[in-house]
Amino acid sequence: MEFGSVKFFKCVILVALALMIVIPTVGCVVLKVQNHRLEEEITSMQARLDLLGEQKEQEAALLPYQAMYPDMIGKPADPEDRIENPNTVYLTFDDGPTAKTEKILDILAQYDVKATFFVIGNTDEVSLRLMKRIVDEGHAIGVHTYSHEYIDIYKTPESYLEDFHSQYALIERVTGVKPDIFRFAGGSVNAYNARLYEQLIAEMTRRGFTYYDWNVASGDAARGITANEIIYNVISGVDEREGKSHKIVLMHDTRETTAEALPTIISELKERNYDFEALTNKVVPANFVYPKGF
Ligand SMILES: [Zn+2]
């Protein structure tokens, strides 16, 4: 092909035309790929922004008392591990430890029975030693309240958490156990917490704690009650629930009469083939049903 010939120019024009088509096409492809990458980046950034926004919203939604004592949390039981055995009796003792706890622990050891103690803030030497003994002998320990002053505890969610934390910290310091079960002072619904109980239950559940009311009352805290009456209350209360569900018995380790009644209660229930266990948060709680309009 001769330089400057018609054929030569034809060739040049063809090559130029080809380049005019190929270059923009390649450019388009490159831009399309880049565009796709940028779109992906935008999508992932948008997702991250949404997540941050949600976290911020959640933080903003956290009520002031929910931020109190962030380390005070329990580990709730897996719902699949829940225990509900109608042949098991859970003896629970509130308001100790006191000097009376010693005799109760001796009787429980003698009969090889495990129980549960919902303890309060008694910090004298005897009470602290007995708090340790409760745990050392394989019984369960849970928070009841530090002050047991209903009016103070149930003023606000903050005052409830302050009181709970004092007792939680005391139990951990004395026994090394971080309790994950508790019993509200006066039970979960009472005349003092009517305005607050839903908030308190929601907050303590959110923190992973499990609370236990009772379905058999021994009545042992009543003034002037005799050992025989306590025995009757417990045995008839258990009989009433025969075959229905596990029995959670409310007692107190604050009175001599409770200790007097205990050996007969254990023997009678053993004769009826009941076994005794300490509560764990796997046990399905006996919780009060809230009266309408309460
Ligand atoms: Zn109490």
Side-chain angles (χ1 to χ4, degrees), residues 11-28:
C11 246
V12 170
I13 289 165
L14 275 176
V15 168
L17 276 173
L19 285 174
M20 278 166 76
I21 293 165
V22 168
I23 289 170
T25 308
V26 170
C28 271

Side-chain angles (χ1 to χ4, degrees), residues 2-262:
E2 215 173 289
F3 179 74
S5 68
V6 173
K7 209 174 178 188
F8 170 78
F9 282 114
K10 264 188 185 171
C11 246
V12 170
I13 289 165
L14 275 176
V15 168
L17 276 173
L19 285 174
M20 278 166 76
I21 293 165
V22 168
I23 289 170
T25 308
V26 170
C28 271
V29 170
V30 170
L31 283 172
K32 178 93 184 144
V33 169
Q34 262 181 355
N35 194 29
H36 185 68
R37 253 192 240 141
L38 283 169
E39 266 175 10
E40 273 182 350
E41 231 171 276
I42 287 170
T43 313
S44 95
M45 279 171 86
Q46 191 60 50
R48 259 185 285 165
L49 265 176
D50 288 349
L51 198 69
L52 275 171
E54 269 172 38
Q55 279 173 354
K56 269 249 173 303
E57 255 174 50
Q58 276 173 3
E59 272 168 32
L62 207 64
L63 295 161
Y65 62 80
Q66 292 179 318
M68 289 167 73
Y69 313 116
D71 295 335
M72 191 170 74
I73 45 168
K75 193 174 178 291
D78 189 326
E80 285 183 12
D81 296 337
R82 287 281 162 128
I83 302 167
E84 193 174 21
N85 183 351
N87 295 321
T88 306
V89 172
Y90 298 91
L91 298 176
T92 66
F93 297 92
D94 287 10
D95 299 357
T98 69
K100 307 284 189 295
T101 310
E102 187 99 71
K103 197 168 175 191
I104 285 170
L105 286 170
D106 289 346
I107 295 166
L108 293 174
Q110 190 189 332
Y111 285 86
D112 193 20
V113 161
K114 299 295 178 226
T116 303
F117 292 80
F118 291 107
V119 293
I120 69 167
N122 292 339
T123 53
D124 59 283
E125 209 180 299
V126 173
S127 297
L128 294 183
R129 179 176 60 76
L130 290 168
M131 196 185 282
K132 180 90 170 59
R133 189 179 157 195
I134 287 168
V135 171
D136 288 348
E137 297 190 0
H139 303 293
I141 196 158
V143 171
H144 190 31
T145 150
Y146 189 84
S147 72
H148 211 276
E149 294 290 344
Y150 292 5
I151 292 176
D152 296 338
I153 303 166
Y154 294 127
K155 239 179 226 160
T156 60
E158 285 82 358
S159 59
Y160 181 80
L161 286 169
E162 269 171 36
D163 176 84
F164 189 101
H165 181 259
S166 299
Q167 190 57 20
Y168 178 83
L170 178 68
I171 295 172
E172 192 190 359
R173 180 168 63 78
V174 176
T175 69
V177 172
K178 283 185 170 195
D180 51 18
I181 58 171
F182 72 105
R183 171 169 288 154
F184 283 101
S188 61
V189 186
N190 59 66
Y192 297 86
N193 72 2
R195 284 179 307 108
L196 279 186
Y197 76 91
E198 281 174 315
Q199 235 174 324
L200 299 182
I201 289 171
E203 173 59 3
M204 299 317 287
T205 307
R206 186 190 70 83
R207 286 176 185 255
F209 294 100
T210 309
Y211 70 97
Y212 290 85
D213 288 320
W214 54 89
N215 51 28
V216 176
S218 70
D220 63 346
R223 200 179 288 251
I225 194 162
T226 64
N228 277 339
E229 285 166 332
I230 296 171
I231 294 165
Y232 174 81
N233 288 344
V234 175
I235 303 298
S236 60
V238 170
D239 281 348
E240 263 175 42
R241 302 195 66 81
E242 196 188 342
K244 273 188 192 163
S245 75
H246 54 308
K247 286 73 178 158
I248 301 184
V249 184
L250 170 67
M251 303 178 98
H252 296 81
D253 46 336
T254 54
R255 304 272 179 102
E256 190 64 35
T257 38
T258 305
E260 274 172 40
L262 194 54

